[in-house]
Structures are given as C-alpha cells and as structure tokens.
Amino acid sequence: MADKITVGYTHLSGCTGCTVALADNYGGLLTLLDKYVDLKYIPTLADARHIQKVDVSFVEGSVCINDKLAVEEIKETREKSAIVVALGGCACYGNITRFTRGGQQNQPQHESYLPIGDLIKVDVFIPGCAPTPELIRNVAVMAYLLLKGTKEQKDLATAFLTPLMKLTAKNEACGCDLIVDVINQGLCMGCGSCAASCPVRAITMEYGKPNVERDLCIKCGACSAQCPRGFFNTDVISQYEAINEAIMAALQ
Amino acid sequence: MSKVVEISPTTRHEGHSKLVLKVDDQGIIEKGNWCSITPVRGVEKLAVGKTPEQVPKIASRVCGICPIAHCLAATEAMEASIKCEIPNDAKLLRHILQLANRLHSHALHNILTLPDMYIPGTETKINPFTSEEPVRSVAKRIQRLREIGQTVGQIAGGEAIHPSNPRIGGMYRNCSEQAKTKMYDLAKEGLTLAHAQSEFMIAVLRNYQKRDWVDVGGMKVPLPKTLGYHDQGYLATHAFYGSSSLEENPSWDIRRFKEARPYDWYMGEMEVTLEEPKYPIGGTTKMGTKTNPQMEACTGIPMYDGQPIEVGPRARLAVYRGFDEKGTIGQQIARQMEYQDCLYEMIDCIDELNPNGKVVADYIPDGDGTLGWASNEAPRGTDVHLARVKDWKVQFFSMLVPTTWNFATCSKALEGAPWQLAEVIMRGYDPCVSCATHMIVVDEDKKIIAQKLIQ
Amino acid sequence: MGAELGNYKSCVSARSTDKELLKNAQDGGIVTQLFAFALEEGIIDGAIVAANKEFYAKYPSKCIQDSSNLDMIEPWRPIPAIVNTKAELLAAAGTKYNISPNVALLKEATRSFGLDKIGIVGTPCQMQAVRKAQLYPVGLRNVGASISLAVGIFCMENFPYQSILQLVEDHAAMKLESVKKMEIGKGKFWVYGKRGQVVQLPLKITHKYEQPGCHVCLDYVANLGDISTGSVGSPDGWSTVFVRSKIGDSVWGKAMAAGCFETQPIEKVKPGLELVTKLANEKITKNKKTLEGRATFGVGKALRNPYI
Ligand SMILES: Cc1cc2nc3c(=O)[nH]c(=O)nc-3n(C[C@H](O)[C@H](O)[C@H](O)COP(=O)(O)OP(=O)(O)OC[C@H]3O[C@@H](n4cnc5c(N)ncnc54)[C@H](O)[C@@H]3O)c2cc1C
Ligand code: SF4
Ligand code: SF4
Ligand code: SF4
Ligand code: SF4
C-alpha cells in the first residue's frame, strides 16, 4: 500500500470528548497510526504546538467568534488542509455551545459560538456527541482510500463519504429535525434508530413514532443522521458485509 | 535581570492553556503563571432558566475526559437543592460509573505523560505510539485498561463518554444480571492489568526521579530534586466518590471556600524577552510578543482557608491514606497507586448491586430555591457543583472544577524549577482545561453572589 | 435471481420441527426457532423482539416502553423487549401488524442489558436501520460489532396502532382483546378470534390505513437480514427462508444440522418464488412511482428523497 496520509486535529471550543472517542478505537488506533495515518498535529495527545499542512484535518468544537485566536485557528486549518472534517456535534452544529449566551467569568464577552461550517467550507461531517469511535475509524480509513487507494477503492470511498459530505449543507441540528425532515415529510417508518442514537435520552418512541423532549436535546445531530430516512445510500449500505470486512481486515 | 518566557499553547493535556514564566539568569522560574486560554462557554450562565434535568447533560459536556464527574456533581447538586434522596442501587451504579471513568482517565494520562519519561536504564524517551517493544505492549495494556473502564462506564452509565443513564432522582435503568456479571469480569481483568501497569509506571517515574538531568529539545536541563514542590496543602472530599450538602456530615465546607478573580492574582502585561526555538515542538513564543495573564486567563482562583490548594490523586491519598510524597513525581506516583484501589472498590460496588432494586426515587420535588452542593472526586480532583432549583427551574449553577483549584497551586509549584520543565510539572496535575472556566465568588459574609463578577 | 429478492446464498421453504413452538408462531416459526437455537448455542446472548402487554407485565425490566403506564397499554400493541430464554421468545412470537420500534433497543441491549451478541428481528426497513448502524454508527457506539444475528421478516406495509384498532374493531367488528391472530395473505387481511371466528377484509380497505413511510420503501424481502423469512411463497404453516450473509449461512447450517427445521426445496412448493418475485416487484414499482411523485409534489417544490 502507498504511504500514510497526514492528519491534523484542531481543538476549538469542544470538550475533548471527541478526542477521547478517537482514542477509544483502542488497539485499532495504534494500527491506524502504524499503517495509515501520520498524526502531525493533535495538542491533546502529542507535542506539536502549531497547525500544520496536512491531507485531512479533524476539527473538534465550535468557534468562539469573540476569541481572535479561535477564529485564526479555524481559518488556518482550512488553508492548510486538503480535507476538513467537522468532528462531533459542536463542530458540525454547535451542539451545547448553541446555548451559550456569555456573561461568565473571566471572559464575559465570550458569547457567540458558531459551528465551523459558518466560517469555512467543510468537506465531511461526523455528527454526534460524542461521535462514535467506529465512525471516526471508518472515515479515517475511507479518507486513506480516497487519497492513496486504487481507482476502485477511491470510488468506494467517495460513495461512502458522499452522504457525510452532503450533511455539510446544513449547519444546525436538533431533535426537531426528525419531525420536520422525516415525519412531516411522510418518511418515518418507526424503526427507533433515532431513539437509540440519542446520547441524552431525549427521544422516546410513542406509538411507534419518535417524541422529542426538546428541553433535553443538546443539538448534536445524531438522531437525524442515524435515521435511515435521513439518508440511505442503498448501493453502499447493501455492501455492508464486504465493507465491514475490509475495514476490519485493514485494522488487523 | 529576570526574563519572560512563554510556552503557548501547552500540550498533552485537555484544553488550551499557556505558561508565562519569569526566569532568572540560570533559567530558573522565579514566578510562574499557568493560565487557561480556552474560550469560556459559559455553562454556569446558560444553565439559568433551564430545567435541572437538562443542565447536568450540558455540564457533562464541559469536559470529555471527566464528564462523569461533571454529570454526577451537577445531578447531585440539583438533588441536594431539591432535597431528593436516591435509592441505594442508583448510588451504586453512580459509584461504578465514576470509578470506571477514573480507570480510563488515569490510563489516558499515562499516554500523555510518558513522552516526558525515559525507558528505564536507557537514554530513550518514550513515544507511546511507537510500534517497538517494550513500549507497544504497554500501549496495548493502557488501551485495554481504558477499554475496560469505558465499557464498564457504558454499561452502568449508558454511554462511555458522556453518560446518559444518570437522571435527577437516580438512574434511568438498573443493570441486568447479565450486565452485572459482565462488569464484574471486566473489573477482574482490569485488576490484573492495573497491577502490572502501576508497577511499570512507578518504575519509570522512580527512574526519572533519579536522573541528574533530562533532555528537552536537545537541551540538557538539570533536574531538581524538588521538582514541583509546593506548600499549599491538599483538599479531597472522599477517597473515591464525593460528598454533598444532603449529608449529615459533609466533607467539604462552603464557609472555608473563597475565590479571587484572576485580575487580583495573575501577573499583568509583560513582553516576552526570552525565546527558545529548540523547545519541542515549534518553539516558545516569539520575543517581543505582549502577554497578559491577568487579562487573558479564563479562570478564577479558588481558595480554601484563604490559600490555593491542590486537589487530585495525591490530595486524596494524603487526606485519606496518609501518603505524603511531595513534588511532581510524588503526585504521579499517587495517581498510579489509585489504579488498583479504584478497581477493588469497583468490584465491591458491583458485588453489592442488586439488579432488581429500584433506581429512581419515588418522589422528586420541584425545589424551593435552597442552595445545594455536591462534590465528586474526578480523576484529577475535587469537582464541586452548586445549584439552586426552584419550581423545576435552575436559578443558580456553579462548577468548581478540579483544574481550577490546581491552576493556582501549580503556578506555585513551578517556582524553583528550570523553565524547560514547566510543562512536566503542569502535566503532573493532569489538567482538564476546558472545564476550568467558570464563575463563582463568595463574599465576605460567605454568601454566594454571582453579580460581583461582571462589573 | 432478480434484484427484487436481494442477494442470497440459498432459499428454502421451511418450518420448525418443534410442534409446541409452531403453536405460538405466525408461520413456520422460523424466527423464534432460530433465536432459540442461537441462544442455546451461545451464538447470541439475547434477542430483541416485539413483545406485548402480558409480557411487559411479567418481565418489566426486559422492555423499553413509551411513557404510558401498564394500564394504558392496549392489546396488540407491540413492546420491544430483550429475551434470553425460550419461554420469553415464545411469549413474543407471532406477528403484530403495527409498529414495533425494535431498533430503539439496539444500544440499550449493549448497555444496561449487558449483551455482547445481539439477535434482532425486524421488518426490511429495520434491517436497513441495523446495517446503517453498522456502517454509519453516528450515535450507536459499540453496537455494530455486537449484532450477531439479524433476522428480517418480509413486509408489504405496516400500520400505526390506531389503524389496527379501526380495522379490527370497525371493519372486522371484533374487539381487539378477543383476537387470537392476524395475518395478511392471499390478498386479504385475516382476523382470527379467540372463539373461532374468522373475518377477512379485502386489502383495498387496509390500504388507506398504512403508515405513509411505507410508501417509499423499496425492499419487500428484507434484503439486508442475515436470514430473512415470510409466509409468502410457501404453503400454510411453512415459511420461505432466504439465507443471505456469511453469518446467516453459518447459523442456518448449524440449525439444520441440529434438526431445528424441516425443509422443502423452494422450487417444489406452491406458489413458490414466482409469487414472492411478483409481490416484490409490485411493491417496488409502486413505491418507486411514489418517490417519483414526491419529486414534483409541490409547485416547483419536491418532497425529500432519503435515497441519495
Ligand atoms: C408489519 C408486518 C408485515 C408483514 N408482511 C408480510 C408480507 O407481506 N408477506 C410475508 O410473507 N410476510 C409478512 N410478514 C412476516 C410474517 O407475518 C411473519 O412475521 C414471518 O413469516 C415470521 O413468521 P415466523 O413464524 O417465522 O415467526 P415467529 O416465530 O412467529 O416470530 C415472529 C417474530 O417477529 C416479531 N415481530 C412481530 N411483530 C413484529 C413487528 N411489528 N415488528 C418487528 N418484529 C415483529 C416477533 O416478536 C417474533 O419474534 C409481515 C410481518 C410484519 C410484522
Ligand atoms: S461534540 Fe460532544 S464530545 Fe465532541 S466536543 Fe462537543 S460536547 Fe464534546
Ligand atoms: S434529540 Fe438527541 S440525538 Fe437528536 S439532536 Fe437532540 S440530542 Fe442529538
Ligand atoms: S429513525 Fe427515522 S424512520 Fe426511524 S423512527 Fe426515527 S424518525 Fe422514524
Ligand atoms: S413497508 Fe417498508 S417501511 Fe413499511 S414497515 Fe415494511 S419494511 Fe418498513
């Protein structure tokens, strides 16, 4: 196989839960680093202090637009990366920072937080809070195939990543999306994926349809992205067996 | 004449922070400021007006490394305010969850500090990600320990990172017999690994301690025997779990607590007058850069009995086990000592758990605005949350998180060390910086007033 | 082999050899028998099925329920549950023709239930949800690799609970409590009473009651199950079984070797695969039309298409 892809990790206003999720690939993380990924920059886990030029940048956290450094960092990340992946609800949608309204010690002016897609063009979304280690792994492997693979592997990677690329069209998420984009659109079939995927148990299934307790929702975007009627790329998902096997083999 | 050097951002810990150091001609730190530069997400402020059920879920997301502590301290502060006692099995589940988080977090911290250390008997610094032995086996063991912690936490708490099972009044679900057995087996496996891991870490730390000098970016830096010493005292509220104002004899006293704003405590504007491009990786801040901890710091300075104190593993062992080794190495050793302790306690809690017991209180009051607080011993120290809930709305919420306590103490501990080792001392505290951004002030009458800050 | 039947390694007509089991089962007892076998062999350590009120009353800790209390749960309303024994499996056998959000339990199964190897039964759309969960686990950490046996059941359409109530109580003039079994087959909706009465309703009555989400569904025979099964194609009391994945093949092989099922070649039974193919095609063609219609539903405005 060709050489590794270079990867950076920009940490903005996030909680590091996304980093932990990445690390929670356990042994798989070590294999990823051995074979596929050259981690150039990730201040939480390694020593590099400044953003570097890389193939793929993962960005955790939203951007505090009242903080000069944060705004510079997100712009620099865009300039220096071929592919920018918004990792986790905060980077994709704002997540809990959507609720922020400033007024707190010692920087009461830190009031306005934006998902990164409001400031730069983002290529791929990985929603959820925390996102799952497996989806991070899958995206990393697919990014590798996209950049270093054969024609066939590039096609597969593109097909796999397409829905996650299309998610970038919208920078806000809420449990209400299930109502607006699925039920209101006549698409809900009552599988319960949304309820299972909600990290704060905001969704219960009432008579076979989701009920969202909006007061609990943290706006992570997991439910509507997990919903089979949110997106379903039949061609790719039908090959679940082969793709899963290939990913597992890659991580052996 | 003393010079000013700045390391920004610091690495291998959670969040954004920097070190501003006044050093003498030998490069020894005369005064050090370690401050958070993570934007303030204002969780304490955004909590006001929300429901007590929602706030702990947001509070959990203040930090992804000790989310359990935040979730539980917030939940229990709400419960303390509304005066809700939870069933015993819910408590046990929370204990298991909390210990599981400690296990994973200590193991993660091993990865973060190992690069400062040497493979015993060699001049090779440890790169935890190398595929070469003996390091690879250690890395795999660390990852397995983390996996065990995260999996047990996931079973008891619903999710491995931000727990979903805790709720006001207890837990959403108890664990099945099957789940209980699984947790037990995992904890047992963890115990064996933890013995080996803590032994390994202690050997590495003792080896480091014996050295006369260490290498930092090609610079040979003398290693003082008193690395990271301070005389600030310790605070811990429980060997494992925590305390709350619902208890008859709580182990934390709000009247002994006071907080200063950074403006009163940190150094004012300075210019960087020393620059070291060799400092790993990317060098220190450029000469001539203006820096101003007073204005830039994002945290306050909490004090107990008028002094900053240390919280964390050593504080717990000092208060509850009589452990008294000072300095960065003592602190690190204490952390490794908590490995087995944590698993033994976890096994006891799993044993005691009754899968058929109820886990939600029969009656959950709406709250009358009473001030309630709860502490939780996060991996990196005491995490105290305070809340007032009235008519099922949060009126006041404050988080006094471990790293906030440690910022000021660590700043003291820097004094007397070569500046190149400042990050080594800082990492000893296993800082979680994102969470260390909060507001709380106790006025002269020891009453909490929030308004004082935003003048 | 046309695309409408999905990929499969083998297809037979089968039924369980356990006579007791067959009494509770909808058709050939394939689902219940497979799970019972897989539990016994340790292939799975629990299965997610659609239970009901009686089950919930008996085993409350094995269910997730919506916010209603026990008294509020009507007869024939499915309640997703995790079963660990044959007795529990039997108590949850039989088809409930209204929505059972089985996937909602998928994550909890690995958490407070402590499962490492999950069995799950579901309609084709639920199998899609399961596979999406494996390939795109956005909010389902540590779930994908735990799915050890996913059994799909054929499905033409499903109904909201109230639809079944109205169909049975209004159109078939029977109290829901007194219904023993419901079935869709031979172009009719059948309602069997506990006292022996049988009512059949033409499907043109049931159509209006279908859940709208079913009208964009492009899978009839659970293409993404490890094994999928339904009554169509096989004689009464028998089921048509597609063995699809490696896992499915292995489990089916073991279950056959253990004598769990008697089988007939699908080519030998009436009405056979021809009917399955025909119905699958009808469903897919009709729903593709619906999807096309959605593209021009408004004036210059489309309804959303989930298939990208
Ligand atoms: C809504 C619906 C529509 C169907 N349409 C067709 C059809 O058009 N053609 C056809 O051939 N077959 C159809 N079936 C399948 C058929 O009714 C039988 O379920 C199938 O043949 C399995 O029978 P069995 O004897 O093997 O299963 P059993 O051993 O009786 O087990 C059935 C299993 O399915 C579970 N289950 C019951 N109801 C539901 C539900 N609503 N959602 C998810 N799981 C459930 C039960 O808990 C049980 O575990 C449909 C089933 C459903 C639920
Ligand atoms: S998405 Fe969740 S886990 Fe990730 S940074 Fe935001 S709060 Fe933390
Ligand atoms: S309902 Fe749950 S899963 Fe959906 S966006 Fe809100 S928090 Fe996320
Ligand atoms: S995941 Fe989508 S289709 Fe499934 S129940 Fe939720 S909203 Fe409906
Ligand atoms: S018709 Fe399709 S969408 Fe409707 S229940 Fe059946 S499989 Fe699901």
Side-chain angles (χ1 to χ4, degrees):
Chain A
M1 276 282 195
D3 48 358
K4 299 185 196 177
I5 54 170
T6 53
V7 171
Y9 194 103
T10 303
H11 189 285
L12 296 168
S13 284
C15 76
T16 314
C18 292
T19 313
V20 174
L22 166 71
D24 282 358
N25 278 296
Y26 309 119
L29 175 71
L30 301 174
T31 315
L32 268 181
L33 297 177
D34 287 348
K35 294 197 197 162
Y36 309 105
V37 168
D38 183 4
L39 203 48
K40 286 275 184 214
Y41 169 76
I42 175 163
T44 307
L45 296 181
D47 261 333
R49 270 165 237 283
H50 304 288
I51 296 168
Q52 298 177 22
K53 204 165 158 25
V54 288
D55 295 327
V56 182
S57 265
F58 287 92
V59 182
E60 167 184 333
S62 60
V63 189
C64 177
I65 59 169
N66 319 112
D67 181 54
K68 220 172 117 230
L69 185 65
V71 176
E72 277 166 18
E73 282 191 344
I74 191 61
K75 289 184 181 167
E76 197 180 344
T77 301
R78 179 67 274 181
E79 282 156 18
K80 292 188 171 166
S81 332
I83 299 172
V84 172
V85 181
L87 178 58
C90 292
C92 298
Y93 304 116
N95 203 41
I96 61 155
T97 62
R98 285 285 189 197
F99 300 119
T100 300
R101 47 178 195 243
Q104 184 169 308
Q105 171 182 298
N106 187 38
Q107 307 293 348
Q109 76 286 3
H110 287 170
E111 166 176 299
S112 315
Y113 288 75
L114 285 176
I116 66 170
D118 278 344
L119 297 177
I120 61 163
K121 183 184 166 298
V122 182
D123 302 297
V124 174
F125 269 13
I126 302 182
C129 177
T132 65
E134 294 97 327
L135 190 55
I136 300 173
R137 171 200 74 195
N138 290 1
V139 168
V141 171
M142 290 298 168
Y144 174 80
L145 295 180
L146 187 71
L147 298 172
K148 307 282 177 185
T150 60
K151 162 92 178 54
E152 207 176 279
Q153 288 170 326
K154 280 191 166 80
D155 291 346
L156 169 69
T158 310
F160 179 91
L161 292 171
T162 298
L164 302 179
M165 286 152 73
K166 289 200 171 163
L167 287 179
T168 63
K170 192 168 149 245
N171 293 328
E172 52 186 294
C174 178
C176 295
D177 297 347
L178 297 173
I179 300 167
V180 175
D181 295 337
V182 189
I183 301 177
N184 291 171
Q185 285 279 330
L187 294 171
C188 176
M189 43 60 180
C191 61
S193 298
C194 49
S197 57
C198 179
V200 293
R201 301 188 193 229
I203 305 172
T204 51
M205 298 301 291
E206 309 287 350
Y207 287 96
K209 301 282 147 141
N211 177 68
V212 181
E213 200 174 325
R214 287 169 305 158
D215 256 3
L216 287 184
C217 170
I218 53 165
K219 301 180 183 288
C220 75
C223 51
S224 47
Q226 192 68 65
C227 170
R229 296 290 166 83
F231 71 79
F232 197 84
N233 47 350
T234 313
D235 293 347
V236 176
I237 296 177
S238 300
Q239 296 179 58
Y240 72 95
E241 221 183 341
I243 297 176
N244 271 333
E245 274 173 18
I247 293 173
M248 292 325 284
L251 290 176
Q252 272 314 299
Chain B
M1 245 260 314
S2 56
K3 289 188 170 166
V4 176
V5 59
E6 183 190 84
I7 302 171
S8 175
T10 48
T11 62
R12 285 190 272 122
H13 62 78
E14 193 280 348
H16 277 217
S17 75
K18 69 175 183 177
L19 287 157
V20 182
L21 310 164
K22 262 195 188 147
V23 303
D24 67 14
D25 295 338
Q26 274 71 50
I28 301 297
I29 300 167
E30 294 172 334
K31 191 167 168 54
N33 274 178
W34 173 38
C35 46
S36 157
I37 47 170
T38 300
V40 178
R41 285 167 297 165
V43 169
E44 291 155 305
K45 279 297 184 171
L46 66 81
V48 176
K50 292 194 170 55
T51 69
E53 198 70 87
Q54 185 182 16
V55 170
K57 295 181 191 280
I58 296 176
S60 171
R61 281 146 176 100
V62 155
C63 172
I65 298 187
C66 42
I68 311 297
H70 292 311
C71 175
L72 293 178
T75 306
E76 288 170 14
M78 305 296 164
E79 288 166 350
S81 173
I82 64 174
K83 302 193 191 67
C84 177
E85 290 274 0
I86 68 166
N88 190 47
D89 286 303
K91 273 188 203 152
L92 286 169
L93 285 172
R94 288 184 184 178
H95 277 246
I96 296 166
L97 169 61
Q98 200 255 9
L99 292 159
N101 176 246
R102 185 178 294 177
L103 177 65
H104 130 73
S105 180
H106 282 1
L108 181 67
H109 189 250
N110 287 170
I111 299 185
L112 307 187
T113 54
L114 276 174
D116 293 328
M117 307 289 147
Y118 291 82
I119 299 174
T122 72
E123 287 304 316
T124 315
K125 281 212 175 174
I126 300 174
N127 166 12
F129 299 116
T130 178
S131 56
E132 278 166 35
E133 292 298 353
V135 178
R136 180 45 63 97
S137 306
V138 175
K140 282 191 175 158
R141 183 167 65 211
I142 289 175
Q143 286 292 62
R144 181 59 189 159
L145 276 166
R146 290 188 55 250
E147 186 170 9
I148 288 170
Q150 294 288 68
T151 311
V152 171
Q154 182 167 282
I155 294 171
E159 291 295 345
I161 297 177
H162 296 296
S164 65
N165 202 13
R167 50 163 290 176
I168 304 297
M171 302 290 270
Y172 284 94
R173 294 189 65 91
N174 199 340
C175 283
S176 70
E177 198 67 61
Q178 218 167 338
K180 178 177 161 163
T181 313
K182 186 170 165 184
M183 289 193 291
Y184 193 90
D185 290 349
L186 284 165
K188 280 285 197 188
E189 182 194 340
L191 193 54
T192 316
L193 296 175
H195 281 303
Q197 181 61 17
S198 102
E199 222 168 83
F200 168 83
M201 286 302 298
I202 291 174
V204 166
L205 290 160
R206 290 289 180 226
N207 170 72
Y208 184 85
Q209 196 174 28
K210 282 203 288 270
R211 297 182 64 93
D212 297 323
W213 58 271
V214 291
D215 176 277
V216 180
M219 294 173 275
K220 238 179 158 180
V221 181
L223 182 69
K225 293 295 158 213
T226 54
L227 188 75
Y229 275 40
H230 68 72
D231 294 311
Q232 296 303 123
Y234 305 117
L235 169 74
T237 58
H238 194 274
F240 302 105
Y241 193 74
S243 179
S244 93
S245 56
L246 278 186
E247 289 170 17
E248 228 169 276
N249 298 307
S251 52
W252 188 73
D253 187 349
I254 196 168
R255 289 165 307 177
R256 294 166 67 186
F257 161 75
K258 186 169 171 54
E259 183 171 66
R261 279 192 300 279
Y263 196 80
D264 298 337
W265 207 87
Y266 279 117
M267 297 188 280
E269 193 180 57
M270 287 168 293
E271 199 180 286
V272 174
T273 49
L274 175 69
E275 179 187 340
E276 182 50 80
K278 279 197 295 210
Y279 190 77
I281 291 173
T284 62
T285 304
K286 296 243 161 343
M287 211 120 86
T289 310
K290 293 264 189 288
T291 181
N292 189 343
Q294 228 173 35
M295 293 299 287
E296 289 160 345
C298 294
T299 55
I301 306 295
M303 290 178 283
Y304 211 57
D305 298 335
Q307 281 292 322
I309 42 81
E310 178 183 319
V311 299
R314 176 176 44 207
R316 284 190 285 265
L317 292 195
V319 174
Y320 292 99
R321 300 277 197 270
F323 176 87
D324 64 358
E325 187 172 339
K326 289 182 76 162
T328 299
I329 300 299
Q331 186 177 36
Q332 291 273 28
I333 299 272
R335 183 169 294 113
Q336 318 313 321
M337 287 170 63
E338 281 200 325
Y339 263 127
Q340 291 103 308
D341 224 12
C342 156
L343 280 154
Y344 281 121
E345 179 74 4
M346 190 192 290
I347 289 169
D348 285 349
C349 291
I350 297 171
D351 250 342
E352 201 186 325
L353 180 73
N354 169 14
N356 299 313
K358 70 171 182 164
V359 291
V360 188
D362 292 327
Y363 172 61
I364 302 171
D366 281 345
D368 60 6
T370 307
L371 178 73
W373 62 262
S375 77
N376 191 285
E377 286 294 328
R380 45 202 61 69
T382 311
D383 184 18
V384 188
H385 290 198
L386 303 92
R388 287 178 194 274
V389 179
K390 186 160 190 289
D391 303 330
W392 205 245
K393 283 260 188 283
V394 175
Q395 291 187 316
F396 168 81
F397 180 57
S398 183
M399 311 168 71
L400 203 51
V401 309
T403 300
T404 312
W405 290 107
N406 283 340
F407 265 118
T409 312
C410 173
S411 293
K412 291 268 188 204
L414 293 169
E415 288 167 17
W419 70 264
Q420 294 92 335
L421 298 181
E423 276 194 286
V424 175
I425 297 172
M426 178 271 295
R427 278 182 206 117
Y429 288 83
D430 186 9
C432 245
V433 177
S434 299
C435 39
T437 40
H438 84 111
M439 69 171 279
I440 179 170
V441 157
V442 178
D443 73 6
E444 302 315 314
D445 298 318
K446 315 290 184 200
K447 268 180 22 212
I448 293 195
I449 52 160
Q451 307 85 306
K452 192 175 158 194
L453 298 168
I454 317 145
Q455 295 157 335
Chain C
M1 190 165 85
E4 64 281 340
L5 300 183
N7 295 322
Y8 58 91
K9 296 188 196 300
S10 61
C11 177
V12 288
S13 188
R15 72 175 177 198
S16 166
T17 46
D18 181 338
K19 293 286 169 298
E20 272 310 298
L21 190 154
L22 281 177
K23 278 190 201 151
N24 290 52
Q26 184 72 13
D27 298 306
I30 308 298
V31 183
T32 302
Q33 177 68 72
L34 271 172
F35 282 157
F37 172 74
L39 273 173
E40 204 168 295
E41 293 297 305
I43 296 166
I44 58 174
D45 52 13
I48 305 174
V49 296
N52 56 13
K53 180 178 181 171
E54 290 77 53
F55 183 102
Y56 183 48
K58 214 160 150 191
Y59 313 103
S61 67
K62 301 220 147 176
C63 304
I64 49 159
Q65 215 347 78
D66 58 25
S67 58
S68 36
N69 61 32
L70 187 62
D71 298 337
M72 292 282 298
I73 302 167
E74 303 88 338
W76 287 97
R77 203 164 111 198
I79 300 172
I82 286 181
V83 293
N84 301 93
T85 64
K86 191 165 169 190
E88 291 164 4
L89 265 171
L90 285 174
T95 300
K96 290 111 191 140
Y97 283 98
N98 65 108
I99 309 157
S100 179
N102 288 1
V103 184
L105 254 177
L106 204 47
K107 188 158 77 177
E108 200 60 60
T110 65
R111 302 331 198 226
S112 62
F113 289 96
L115 301 197
D116 288 312
K117 293 173 280 180
I118 308 168
I120 181 168
V121 55
T123 48
C125 57
Q126 295 181 328
M127 292 299 110
Q128 293 181 339
V130 166
R131 299 317 177 189
K132 185 173 176 186
Q134 289 183 305
L135 225 44
Y136 294 98
V138 188
L140 296 170
R141 175 178 168 142
N142 288 14
V143 168
S146 308
I147 296 163
S148 299
L149 183 60
V151 183
I153 47 184
F154 303 175
C155 175
M156 189 59 87
E157 71 280 304
N158 203 347
F159 302 90
Y161 178 76
Q162 188 68 21
S163 294
I164 286 303
L165 181 99
Q166 289 180 212
L167 277 168
V168 171
E169 301 207 341
D170 298 349
H171 294 269
M174 243 192 260
K175 196 93 182 109
L176 260 176
E177 278 97 327
S178 62
V179 173
K180 193 170 79 189
K181 182 175 183 174
M182 292 179 225
E183 194 175 20
I184 297 179
K186 309 189 182 76
K188 301 266 189 317
F189 183 77
W190 304 77
V191 187
Y192 301 92
K194 286 183 182 153
R195 286 179 296 107
Q197 30 350 359
V198 181
V199 180
Q200 39 168 297
L201 303 171
L203 291 185
K204 73 171 191 294
I205 293 179
T206 63
H207 286 329
K208 96 156 219 192
Y209 291 106
E210 292 161 12
Q211 74 164 337
C214 292
H215 297 148
V216 299
C217 174
L218 302 177
D219 184 352
Y220 178 54
V221 285
N223 295 348
L224 301 185
D226 289 313
I227 293 173
S228 54
T229 184
S231 56
V232 163
S234 289
D236 283 353
W238 290 72
S239 294
T240 302
V241 178
F242 290 103
V243 179
R244 299 186 181 278
S245 68
K246 283 184 195 154
I247 289 179
D249 203 29
S250 141
V251 176
W252 185 256
K254 287 182 195 158
M256 284 301 294
C260 290
F261 298 104
E262 52 178 315
T263 63
Q264 310 178 56
I266 194 71
E267 301 75 23
K268 295 271 164 61
V269 299
K270 287 271 173 266
L273 275 189
E274 206 178 309
L275 181 62
V276 187
T277 310
K278 176 172 163 269
L279 290 178
N281 266 323
E282 275 175 24
K283 170 174 176 176
I284 295 165
T285 312
K286 180 173 79 83
N287 290 348
K288 275 193 171 149
K289 275 221 183 77
T290 312
L291 273 167
E292 278 161 26
R294 290 172 65 90
T296 54
F297 198 84
V299 181
K301 295 266 181 186
L303 293 178
R304 214 168 61 76
N305 183 348
Y307 304 106
I308 52 171

